[in-house]
mmCIF file of all heavy atoms in Angstrom:
data_model
loop_
_atom_site.group_PDB
_atom_site.id
_atom_site.type_symbol
_atom_site.label_atom_id
_atom_site.label_comp_id
_atom_site.label_asym_id
_atom_site.label_seq_id
_atom_site.Cartn_x
_atom_site.Cartn_y
_atom_site.Cartn_z
ATOM 1 N N ILE A 1 11.113 25.300 6.581
ATOM 2 C CA ILE A 1 9.998 24.361 6.748
ATOM 3 C C ILE A 1 9.240 24.188 5.433
ATOM 4 O O ILE A 1 8.832 23.079 5.069
ATOM 5 C CB ILE A 1 9.061 24.856 7.864
ATOM 6 C CG1 ILE A 1 9.766 24.738 9.226
ATOM 7 C CG2 ILE A 1 7.751 24.067 7.878
ATOM 8 C CD1 ILE A 1 9.002 25.393 10.366
ATOM 9 N N GLU A 2 9.078 25.287 4.690
ATOM 10 C CA GLU A 2 8.374 25.194 3.410
ATOM 11 C C GLU A 2 9.164 24.360 2.401
ATOM 12 O O GLU A 2 8.600 23.553 1.660
ATOM 13 C CB GLU A 2 8.124 26.597 2.859
ATOM 14 C CG GLU A 2 7.278 26.586 1.594
ATOM 15 C CD GLU A 2 6.916 27.994 1.139
ATOM 16 O OE1 GLU A 2 7.079 28.948 1.929
ATOM 17 O OE2 GLU A 2 6.469 28.121 -0.012
ATOM 18 N N LEU A 3 10.490 24.553 2.391
ATOM 19 C CA LEU A 3 11.312 23.726 1.504
ATOM 20 C C LEU A 3 11.232 22.252 1.889
ATOM 21 O O LEU A 3 11.147 21.368 1.019
ATOM 22 C CB LEU A 3 12.765 24.201 1.553
ATOM 23 C CG LEU A 3 13.162 25.373 0.651
ATOM 24 C CD1 LEU A 3 14.635 25.689 0.830
ATOM 25 C CD2 LEU A 3 12.867 25.050 -0.813
ATOM 26 N N GLU A 4 11.281 21.986 3.183
ATOM 27 C CA GLU A 4 11.163 20.591 3.643
ATOM 28 C C GLU A 4 9.843 19.978 3.190
ATOM 29 O O GLU A 4 9.792 18.814 2.801
ATOM 30 C CB GLU A 4 11.277 20.517 5.173
ATOM 31 C CG GLU A 4 12.693 20.629 5.701
ATOM 32 C CD GLU A 4 12.752 20.396 7.202
ATOM 33 O OE1 GLU A 4 11.675 20.353 7.847
ATOM 34 O OE2 GLU A 4 13.870 20.265 7.732
ATOM 35 N N ARG A 5 8.791 20.779 3.254
ATOM 36 C CA ARG A 5 7.492 20.282 2.807
ATOM 37 C C ARG A 5 7.526 19.960 1.322
ATOM 38 O O ARG A 5 6.976 18.942 0.881
ATOM 39 C CB ARG A 5 6.414 21.320 3.115
ATOM 40 C CG ARG A 5 5.000 20.817 2.820
ATOM 41 C CD ARG A 5 3.954 21.885 3.096
ATOM 42 N NE ARG A 5 4.002 22.300 4.492
ATOM 43 C CZ ARG A 5 4.322 23.523 4.896
ATOM 44 N NH1 ARG A 5 4.645 24.456 3.995
ATOM 45 N NH2 ARG A 5 4.356 23.838 6.173
ATOM 46 N N ASP A 6 8.177 20.821 0.533
ATOM 47 C CA ASP A 6 8.279 20.550 -0.903
ATOM 48 C C ASP A 6 9.023 19.243 -1.160
ATOM 49 O O ASP A 6 8.634 18.445 -2.026
ATOM 50 C CB ASP A 6 9.003 21.704 -1.608
ATOM 51 C CG ASP A 6 8.177 22.988 -1.631
ATOM 52 O OD1 ASP A 6 6.948 22.885 -1.440
ATOM 53 O OD2 ASP A 6 8.768 24.074 -1.823
ATOM 54 N N VAL A 7 10.107 19.033 -0.421
ATOM 55 C CA VAL A 7 10.879 17.799 -0.593
ATOM 56 C C VAL A 7 10.046 16.588 -0.174
ATOM 57 O O VAL A 7 9.976 15.580 -0.876
ATOM 58 C CB VAL A 7 12.184 17.867 0.231
ATOM 59 C CG1 VAL A 7 12.891 16.513 0.212
ATOM 60 C CG2 VAL A 7 13.095 18.961 -0.311
ATOM 61 N N ARG A 8 9.400 16.703 0.990
ATOM 62 C CA ARG A 8 8.640 15.564 1.516
ATOM 63 C C ARG A 8 7.469 15.199 0.604
ATOM 64 O O ARG A 8 7.126 14.022 0.459
ATOM 65 C CB ARG A 8 8.134 15.900 2.921
ATOM 66 C CG ARG A 8 7.413 14.745 3.611
ATOM 67 C CD ARG A 8 7.071 15.066 5.042
ATOM 68 N NE ARG A 8 6.243 16.267 5.157
ATOM 69 C CZ ARG A 8 6.638 17.425 5.648
ATOM 70 N NH1 ARG A 8 7.876 17.576 6.093
ATOM 71 N NH2 ARG A 8 5.817 18.471 5.721
ATOM 72 N N ASP A 9 6.862 16.210 -0.041
ATOM 73 C CA ASP A 9 5.675 15.954 -0.855
ATOM 74 C C ASP A 9 6.006 15.513 -2.275
ATOM 75 O O ASP A 9 5.100 15.110 -3.025
ATOM 76 C CB ASP A 9 4.800 17.219 -0.921
ATOM 77 C CG ASP A 9 4.162 17.542 0.425
ATOM 78 O OD1 ASP A 9 4.161 16.649 1.303
ATOM 79 O OD2 ASP A 9 3.682 18.683 0.603
ATOM 80 N N ASP A 10 7.258 15.584 -2.647
ATOM 81 C CA ASP A 10 7.625 15.182 -4.010
ATOM 82 C C ASP A 10 7.470 13.667 -4.162
ATOM 83 O O ASP A 10 8.042 12.889 -3.386
ATOM 84 C CB ASP A 10 9.066 15.589 -4.312
ATOM 85 C CG ASP A 10 9.434 15.309 -5.757
ATOM 86 O OD1 ASP A 10 9.235 16.178 -6.608
ATOM 87 O OD2 ASP A 10 9.915 14.176 -6.014
ATOM 88 N N ARG A 11 6.688 13.269 -5.151
ATOM 89 C CA ARG A 11 6.366 11.844 -5.328
ATOM 90 C C ARG A 11 7.611 11.006 -5.578
ATOM 91 O O ARG A 11 7.772 9.920 -5.002
ATOM 92 C CB ARG A 11 5.391 11.673 -6.492
ATOM 93 C CG ARG A 11 4.972 10.226 -6.742
ATOM 94 C CD ARG A 11 3.895 10.154 -7.821
ATOM 95 N NE ARG A 11 3.515 8.782 -8.071
ATOM 96 C CZ ARG A 11 4.149 7.960 -8.909
ATOM 97 N NH1 ARG A 11 5.222 8.407 -9.580
ATOM 98 N NH2 ARG A 11 3.745 6.704 -9.084
ATOM 99 N N ASN A 12 8.526 11.480 -6.399
ATOM 100 C CA ASN A 12 9.727 10.697 -6.718
ATOM 101 C C ASN A 12 10.606 10.500 -5.480
ATOM 102 O O ASN A 12 11.206 9.438 -5.292
ATOM 103 C CB ASN A 12 10.525 11.389 -7.832
ATOM 104 C CG ASN A 12 9.806 11.314 -9.169
ATOM 105 O OD1 ASN A 12 9.130 10.327 -9.466
ATOM 106 N ND2 ASN A 12 9.941 12.361 -9.974
ATOM 107 N N ILE A 13 10.677 11.525 -4.641
ATOM 108 C CA ILE A 13 11.488 11.395 -3.426
ATOM 109 C C ILE A 13 10.830 10.416 -2.447
ATOM 110 O O ILE A 13 11.514 9.604 -1.817
ATOM 111 C CB ILE A 13 11.704 12.778 -2.780
ATOM 112 C CG1 ILE A 13 12.696 13.577 -3.640
ATOM 113 C CG2 ILE A 13 12.215 12.639 -1.346
ATOM 114 C CD1 ILE A 13 12.991 14.955 -3.114
ATOM 115 N N ARG A 14 9.494 10.490 -2.342
ATOM 116 C CA ARG A 14 8.805 9.542 -1.452
ATOM 117 C C ARG A 14 9.065 8.106 -1.898
ATOM 118 O O ARG A 14 9.327 7.221 -1.081
ATOM 119 C CB ARG A 14 7.296 9.822 -1.430
ATOM 120 C CG ARG A 14 6.915 11.097 -0.708
ATOM 121 C CD ARG A 14 5.465 11.023 -0.211
ATOM 122 N NE ARG A 14 4.546 10.597 -1.253
ATOM 123 C CZ ARG A 14 3.931 11.420 -2.103
ATOM 124 N NH1 ARG A 14 4.155 12.729 -2.017
ATOM 125 N NH2 ARG A 14 3.098 10.964 -3.012
ATOM 126 N N ILE A 15 8.990 7.883 -3.194
ATOM 127 C CA ILE A 15 9.230 6.535 -3.714
ATOM 128 C C ILE A 15 10.667 6.101 -3.424
ATOM 129 O O ILE A 15 10.929 4.978 -2.982
ATOM 130 C CB ILE A 15 8.940 6.476 -5.227
ATOM 131 C CG1 ILE A 15 7.433 6.635 -5.479
ATOM 132 C CG2 ILE A 15 9.450 5.152 -5.814
ATOM 133 C CD1 ILE A 15 7.070 6.740 -6.953
ATOM 134 N N ALA A 16 11.622 6.995 -3.672
ATOM 135 C CA ALA A 16 13.032 6.655 -3.459
ATOM 136 C C ALA A 16 13.310 6.334 -1.995
ATOM 137 O O ALA A 16 14.044 5.377 -1.676
ATOM 138 C CB ALA A 16 13.913 7.818 -3.928
ATOM 139 N N ILE A 17 12.728 7.128 -1.084
ATOM 140 C CA ILE A 17 12.939 6.873 0.345
ATOM 141 C C ILE A 17 12.300 5.549 0.759
ATOM 142 O O ILE A 17 12.884 4.769 1.518
ATOM 143 C CB ILE A 17 12.382 8.057 1.174
ATOM 144 C CG1 ILE A 17 13.285 9.283 0.998
ATOM 145 C CG2 ILE A 17 12.270 7.683 2.657
ATOM 146 C CD1 ILE A 17 12.770 10.532 1.693
ATOM 147 N N ASN A 18 11.093 5.279 0.245
ATOM 148 C CA ASN A 18 10.432 4.010 0.575
ATOM 149 C C ASN A 18 11.233 2.811 0.076
ATOM 150 O O ASN A 18 11.310 1.776 0.744
ATOM 151 C CB ASN A 18 9.026 3.972 -0.015
ATOM 152 C CG ASN A 18 8.004 4.659 0.871
ATOM 153 O OD1 ASN A 18 8.230 4.830 2.060
ATOM 154 N ND2 ASN A 18 6.887 5.072 0.290
ATOM 155 N N LEU A 19 11.827 2.938 -1.107
ATOM 156 C CA LEU A 19 12.616 1.828 -1.644
ATOM 157 C C LEU A 19 13.851 1.556 -0.793
ATOM 158 O O LEU A 19 14.347 0.425 -0.757
ATOM 159 C CB LEU A 19 13.024 2.128 -3.088
ATOM 160 C CG LEU A 19 11.895 2.055 -4.125
ATOM 161 C CD1 LEU A 19 12.404 2.502 -5.496
ATOM 162 C CD2 LEU A 19 11.325 0.638 -4.209
ATOM 163 N N CYS A 20 14.320 2.580 -0.098
ATOM 164 C CA CYS A 20 15.501 2.397 0.744
ATOM 165 C C CYS A 20 15.148 1.907 2.143
ATOM 166 O O CYS A 20 16.021 1.384 2.851
ATOM 167 C CB CYS A 20 16.275 3.720 0.851
ATOM 168 S SG CYS A 20 16.993 4.259 -0.704
ATOM 169 N N TRP A 21 13.904 2.128 2.553
ATOM 170 C CA TRP A 21 13.472 1.660 3.893
ATOM 171 C C TRP A 21 11.991 1.327 3.776
ATOM 172 O O TRP A 21 11.128 2.151 4.057
ATOM 173 C CB TRP A 21 13.716 2.745 4.936
ATOM 174 C CG TRP A 21 13.623 2.230 6.361
ATOM 175 C CD1 TRP A 21 12.518 1.788 6.997
ATOM 176 C CD2 TRP A 21 14.693 2.111 7.294
ATOM 177 N NE1 TRP A 21 12.813 1.391 8.272
ATOM 178 C CE2 TRP A 21 14.144 1.587 8.496
ATOM 179 C CE3 TRP A 21 16.060 2.403 7.255
ATOM 180 C CZ2 TRP A 21 14.920 1.348 9.633
ATOM 181 C CZ3 TRP A 21 16.816 2.168 8.383
ATOM 182 C CH2 TRP A 21 16.266 1.641 9.564
ATOM 183 N N LEU A 22 11.694 0.092 3.380
ATOM 184 C CA LEU A 22 10.326 -0.296 3.067
ATOM 185 C C LEU A 22 9.543 -0.662 4.323
ATOM 186 O O LEU A 22 9.926 -1.588 5.047
ATOM 187 C CB LEU A 22 10.316 -1.500 2.123
ATOM 188 C CG LEU A 22 10.749 -1.237 0.681
ATOM 189 C CD1 LEU A 22 10.985 -2.554 -0.033
ATOM 190 C CD2 LEU A 22 9.687 -0.433 -0.052
ATOM 191 N N PRO A 23 8.442 0.042 4.632
ATOM 192 C CA PRO A 23 7.574 -0.423 5.713
ATOM 193 C C PRO A 23 6.837 -1.680 5.258
ATOM 194 O O PRO A 23 6.498 -1.828 4.080
ATOM 195 C CB PRO A 23 6.609 0.750 5.917
ATOM 196 C CG PRO A 23 6.579 1.456 4.609
ATOM 197 C CD PRO A 23 7.930 1.262 3.986
ATOM 198 N N VAL A 24 6.580 -2.598 6.186
ATOM 199 C CA VAL A 24 5.970 -3.874 5.803
ATOM 200 C C VAL A 24 5.303 -4.496 7.020
ATOM 201 O O VAL A 24 5.726 -4.285 8.158
ATOM 202 C CB VAL A 24 7.050 -4.825 5.216
ATOM 203 C CG1 VAL A 24 8.098 -5.196 6.253
ATOM 204 C CG2 VAL A 24 6.420 -6.078 4.616
ATOM 205 N N THR A 25 4.251 -5.258 6.795
ATOM 206 C CA THR A 25 3.591 -5.994 7.872
ATOM 207 C C THR A 25 4.275 -7.347 8.064
ATOM 208 O O THR A 25 4.941 -7.850 7.137
ATOM 209 C CB THR A 25 2.110 -6.241 7.550
ATOM 210 O OG1 THR A 25 2.022 -7.097 6.406
ATOM 211 C CG2 THR A 25 1.389 -4.929 7.287
ATOM 212 N N PRO A 26 4.129 -7.966 9.226
ATOM 213 C CA PRO A 26 4.703 -9.305 9.413
ATOM 214 C C PRO A 26 4.177 -10.305 8.395
ATOM 215 O O PRO A 26 4.934 -11.140 7.885
ATOM 216 C CB PRO A 26 4.270 -9.676 10.836
ATOM 217 C CG PRO A 26 4.074 -8.370 11.530
ATOM 218 C CD PRO A 26 3.539 -7.445 10.473
ATOM 219 N N GLU A 27 2.879 -10.210 8.101
ATOM 220 C CA GLU A 27 2.289 -11.164 7.154
ATOM 221 C C GLU A 27 2.914 -11.019 5.769
ATOM 222 O O GLU A 27 3.265 -12.019 5.131
ATOM 223 C CB GLU A 27 0.768 -10.941 7.074
ATOM 224 C CG GLU A 27 0.012 -11.278 8.339
ATOM 225 C CD GLU A 27 0.007 -10.143 9.357
ATOM 226 O OE1 GLU A 27 0.683 -9.101 9.122
ATOM 227 O OE2 GLU A 27 -0.661 -10.281 10.397
ATOM 228 N N GLN A 28 3.060 -9.763 5.309
ATOM 229 C CA GLN A 28 3.632 -9.567 3.977
ATOM 230 C C GLN A 28 5.103 -9.957 3.946
ATOM 231 O O GLN A 28 5.595 -10.485 2.943
ATOM 232 C CB GLN A 28 3.471 -8.109 3.540
ATOM 233 C CG GLN A 28 3.760 -7.875 2.064
ATOM 234 C CD GLN A 28 2.870 -8.711 1.169
ATOM 235 O OE1 GLN A 28 1.654 -8.709 1.328
ATOM 236 N NE2 GLN A 28 3.469 -9.435 0.234
ATOM 237 N N LEU A 29 5.806 -9.705 5.026
ATOM 238 C CA LEU A 29 7.218 -10.087 5.080
ATOM 239 C C LEU A 29 7.375 -11.584 4.866
ATOM 240 O O LEU A 29 8.215 -12.028 4.062
ATOM 241 C CB LEU A 29 7.816 -9.687 6.431
ATOM 242 C CG LEU A 29 9.313 -9.973 6.570
ATOM 243 C CD1 LEU A 29 10.126 -8.817 6.001
ATOM 244 C CD2 LEU A 29 9.697 -10.209 8.025
ATOM 245 N N LEU A 30 6.562 -12.391 5.572
ATOM 246 C CA LEU A 30 6.685 -13.844 5.422
ATOM 247 C C LEU A 30 6.206 -14.308 4.062
ATOM 248 O O LEU A 30 6.799 -15.220 3.462
ATOM 249 C CB LEU A 30 5.900 -14.557 6.526
ATOM 250 C CG LEU A 30 6.535 -14.637 7.907
ATOM 251 C CD1 LEU A 30 5.849 -15.696 8.757
ATOM 252 C CD2 LEU A 30 8.027 -14.932 7.847
ATOM 253 N N ARG A 31 5.108 -13.718 3.568
ATOM 254 C CA ARG A 31 4.626 -14.124 2.235
ATOM 255 C C ARG A 31 5.694 -13.871 1.172
ATOM 256 O O ARG A 31 5.924 -14.714 0.303
ATOM 257 C CB ARG A 31 3.342 -13.363 1.893
ATOM 258 C CG ARG A 31 2.131 -13.823 2.689
ATOM 259 C CD ARG A 31 0.842 -13.261 2.089
ATOM 260 N NE ARG A 31 -0.306 -13.714 2.850
ATOM 261 C CZ ARG A 31 -0.972 -12.974 3.728
ATOM 262 N NH1 ARG A 31 -0.593 -11.712 3.933
ATOM 263 N NH2 ARG A 31 -2.009 -13.456 4.381
ATOM 264 N N ASP A 32 6.334 -12.715 1.228
ATOM 265 C CA ASP A 32 7.400 -12.419 0.265
ATOM 266 C C ASP A 32 8.573 -13.373 0.450
ATOM 267 O O ASP A 32 9.159 -13.864 -0.535
ATOM 268 C CB ASP A 32 7.884 -10.978 0.437
ATOM 269 C CG ASP A 32 6.859 -9.958 -0.046
ATOM 270 O OD1 ASP A 32 5.892 -10.356 -0.713
ATOM 271 O OD2 ASP A 32 7.031 -8.757 0.267
ATOM 272 N N LEU A 33 8.919 -13.643 1.699
ATOM 273 C CA LEU A 33 10.064 -14.509 1.978
ATOM 274 C C LEU A 33 9.837 -15.905 1.424
ATOM 275 O O LEU A 33 10.728 -16.498 0.807
ATOM 276 C CB LEU A 33 10.303 -14.573 3.487
ATOM 277 C CG LEU A 33 11.478 -15.426 3.970
ATOM 278 C CD1 LEU A 33 12.799 -14.814 3.506
ATOM 279 C CD2 LEU A 33 11.454 -15.553 5.484
ATOM 280 N N TYR A 34 8.637 -16.439 1.635
ATOM 281 C CA TYR A 34 8.336 -17.808 1.205
ATOM 282 C C TYR A 34 8.122 -17.940 -0.309
ATOM 283 O O TYR A 34 8.295 -19.025 -0.864
ATOM 284 C CB TYR A 34 7.066 -18.310 1.893
ATOM 285 C CG TYR A 34 7.185 -18.536 3.383
ATOM 286 C CD1 TYR A 34 6.077 -18.392 4.202
ATOM 287 C CD2 TYR A 34 8.385 -18.909 3.980
ATOM 288 C CE1 TYR A 34 6.150 -18.597 5.571
ATOM 289 C CE2 TYR A 34 8.478 -19.109 5.342
ATOM 290 C CZ TYR A 34 7.351 -18.953 6.136
ATOM 291 O OH TYR A 34 7.438 -19.173 7.477
ATOM 292 N N SER A 35 7.739 -16.854 -0.961
ATOM 293 C CA SER A 35 7.348 -16.966 -2.372
ATOM 294 C C SER A 35 8.407 -16.460 -3.344
ATOM 295 O O SER A 35 8.265 -16.666 -4.553
ATOM 296 C CB SER A 35 6.036 -16.197 -2.609
ATOM 297 O OG SER A 35 6.214 -14.818 -2.349
ATOM 298 N N LYS A 36 9.460 -15.801 -2.829
ATOM 299 C CA LYS A 36 10.474 -15.235 -3.719
ATOM 300 C C LYS A 36 11.827 -15.889 -3.434
ATOM 301 O O LYS A 36 12.471 -15.580 -2.413
ATOM 302 C CB LYS A 36 10.556 -13.719 -3.535
ATOM 303 C CG LYS A 36 9.239 -13.020 -3.893
ATOM 304 C CD LYS A 36 9.295 -11.526 -3.654
ATOM 305 C CE LYS A 36 7.969 -10.869 -4.037
ATOM 306 N NZ LYS A 36 7.986 -9.414 -3.786
ATOM 307 N N PRO A 37 12.257 -16.769 -4.303
ATOM 308 C CA PRO A 37 13.495 -17.520 -4.041
ATOM 309 C C PRO A 37 14.699 -16.637 -3.770
ATOM 310 O O PRO A 37 15.534 -16.968 -2.924
ATOM 311 C CB PRO A 37 13.682 -18.344 -5.325
ATOM 312 C CG PRO A 37 12.300 -18.485 -5.889
ATOM 313 C CD PRO A 37 11.596 -17.212 -5.543
ATOM 314 N N HIS A 38 14.807 -15.483 -4.447
ATOM 315 C CA HIS A 38 15.998 -14.653 -4.234
ATOM 316 C C HIS A 38 16.009 -14.059 -2.822
ATOM 317 O O HIS A 38 17.081 -13.907 -2.216
ATOM 318 C CB HIS A 38 16.076 -13.547 -5.296
ATOM 319 C CG HIS A 38 15.050 -12.464 -5.153
ATOM 320 N ND1 HIS A 38 13.735 -12.617 -5.565
ATOM 321 C CD2 HIS A 38 15.133 -11.205 -4.630
ATOM 322 C CE1 HIS A 38 13.064 -11.510 -5.310
ATOM 323 N NE2 HIS A 38 13.888 -10.637 -4.745
ATOM 324 N N LEU A 39 14.822 -13.729 -2.294
ATOM 325 C CA LEU A 39 14.763 -13.231 -0.923
ATOM 326 C C LEU A 39 15.118 -14.329 0.076
ATOM 327 O O LEU A 39 15.838 -14.103 1.059
ATOM 328 C CB LEU A 39 13.369 -12.681 -0.608
ATOM 329 C CG LEU A 39 12.950 -11.396 -1.325
ATOM 330 C CD1 LEU A 39 11.548 -10.984 -0.887
ATOM 331 C CD2 LEU A 39 13.936 -10.272 -1.029
ATOM 332 N N LEU A 40 14.607 -15.523 -0.160
ATOM 333 C CA LEU A 40 14.880 -16.650 0.735
ATOM 334 C C LEU A 40 16.358 -17.020 0.689
ATOM 335 O O LEU A 40 16.981 -17.300 1.729
ATOM 336 C CB LEU A 40 14.000 -17.836 0.348
ATOM 337 C CG LEU A 40 13.893 -18.976 1.358
ATOM 338 C CD1 LEU A 40 13.396 -18.471 2.706
ATOM 339 C CD2 LEU A 40 12.952 -20.054 0.837
ATOM 340 N N ASP A 41 16.935 -17.012 -0.502
ATOM 341 C CA ASP A 41 18.366 -17.322 -0.619
ATOM 342 C C ASP A 41 19.210 -16.301 0.146
ATOM 343 O O ASP A 41 20.222 -16.653 0.768
ATOM 344 C CB ASP A 41 18.786 -17.322 -2.089
ATOM 345 C CG ASP A 41 18.233 -18.530 -2.841
ATOM 346 O OD1 ASP A 41 17.824 -19.505 -2.171
ATOM 347 O OD2 ASP A 41 18.200 -18.488 -4.080
ATOM 348 N N HIS A 42 18.793 -15.043 0.109
ATOM 349 C CA HIS A 42 19.540 -13.988 0.806
ATOM 350 C C HIS A 42 19.394 -14.113 2.323
ATOM 351 O O HIS A 42 20.383 -14.004 3.065
ATOM 352 C CB HIS A 42 19.046 -12.611 0.346
ATOM 353 C CG HIS A 42 19.565 -11.477 1.172
ATOM 354 N ND1 HIS A 42 20.842 -10.974 1.033
ATOM 355 C CD2 HIS A 42 18.988 -10.756 2.182
ATOM 356 C CE1 HIS A 42 21.026 -9.995 1.904
ATOM 357 N NE2 HIS A 42 19.917 -9.837 2.615
ATOM 358 N N ALA A 43 18.158 -14.334 2.791
ATOM 359 C CA ALA A 43 17.902 -14.311 4.236
ATOM 360 C C ALA A 43 18.267 -15.616 4.925
ATOM 361 O O ALA A 43 18.626 -15.618 6.107
ATOM 362 C CB ALA A 43 16.432 -13.986 4.499
ATOM 363 N N ALA A 44 18.153 -16.729 4.209
ATOM 364 C CA ALA A 44 18.311 -18.046 4.833
ATOM 365 C C ALA A 44 19.580 -18.734 4.366
ATOM 366 O O ALA A 44 19.568 -19.915 4.004
ATOM 367 C CB ALA A 44 17.086 -18.909 4.532
ATOM 368 N N ARG A 45 20.685 -18.019 4.401
ATOM 369 C CA ARG A 45 21.944 -18.594 3.926
ATOM 370 C C ARG A 45 22.414 -19.745 4.802
ATOM 371 O O ARG A 45 23.197 -20.596 4.359
ATOM 372 C CB ARG A 45 23.013 -17.506 3.879
ATOM 373 C CG ARG A 45 22.722 -16.429 2.844
ATOM 374 C CD ARG A 45 23.697 -15.267 2.933
ATOM 375 N NE ARG A 45 23.371 -14.225 1.964
ATOM 376 C CZ ARG A 45 23.967 -13.046 1.908
ATOM 377 N NH1 ARG A 45 24.930 -12.761 2.782
ATOM 378 N NH2 ARG A 45 23.610 -12.154 1.002
ATOM 379 N N GLY A 46 21.951 -19.805 6.043
ATOM 380 C CA GLY A 46 22.351 -20.892 6.934
ATOM 381 C C GLY A 46 21.615 -22.188 6.678
ATOM 382 O O GLY A 46 21.985 -23.235 7.225
ATOM 383 N N LEU A 47 20.558 -22.151 5.849
ATOM 384 C CA LEU A 47 19.822 -23.367 5.506
ATOM 385 C C LEU A 47 20.393 -23.971 4.230
ATOM 386 O O LEU A 47 20.983 -23.280 3.394
ATOM 387 C CB LEU A 47 18.337 -23.051 5.296
ATOM 388 C CG LEU A 47 17.589 -22.412 6.475
ATOM 389 C CD1 LEU A 47 16.118 -22.209 6.109
ATOM 390 C CD2 LEU A 47 17.716 -23.251 7.734
#
């Protein structure tokens, strides 16, 4: 448990995990989608 705490509290690991699974609000998701062409191109390939 102590080792797990060390891993969980490490700043670099927290950043790496967040980059792999980013929490986001609905509002921010749409703002990013509408304002970043590369995200829109990826998500809206059917348009």
Side-chain angles (χ1 to χ4, degrees):
I1 291 171
E2 185 174 346
L3 276 180
E4 282 186 349
R5 186 182 300 116
D6 291 341
V7 172
R8 184 174 58 250
D9 291 345
D10 186 90
R11 181 174 179 275
N12 290 326
I13 287 180
R14 289 204 311 271
I15 291 174
I17 288 176
N18 276 339
L19 288 175
C20 294
W21 194 292
L22 288 167
V24 64
T25 65
E27 293 84 355
Q28 192 58 51
L29 183 86
L30 282 197
R31 288 193 180 103
D32 289 348
L33 181 66
Y34 292 151
S35 63
K36 298 177 179 179
H38 71 281
L39 291 181
L40 194 57
D41 288 343
H42 169 78
R45 294 173 182 173
L47 302 182

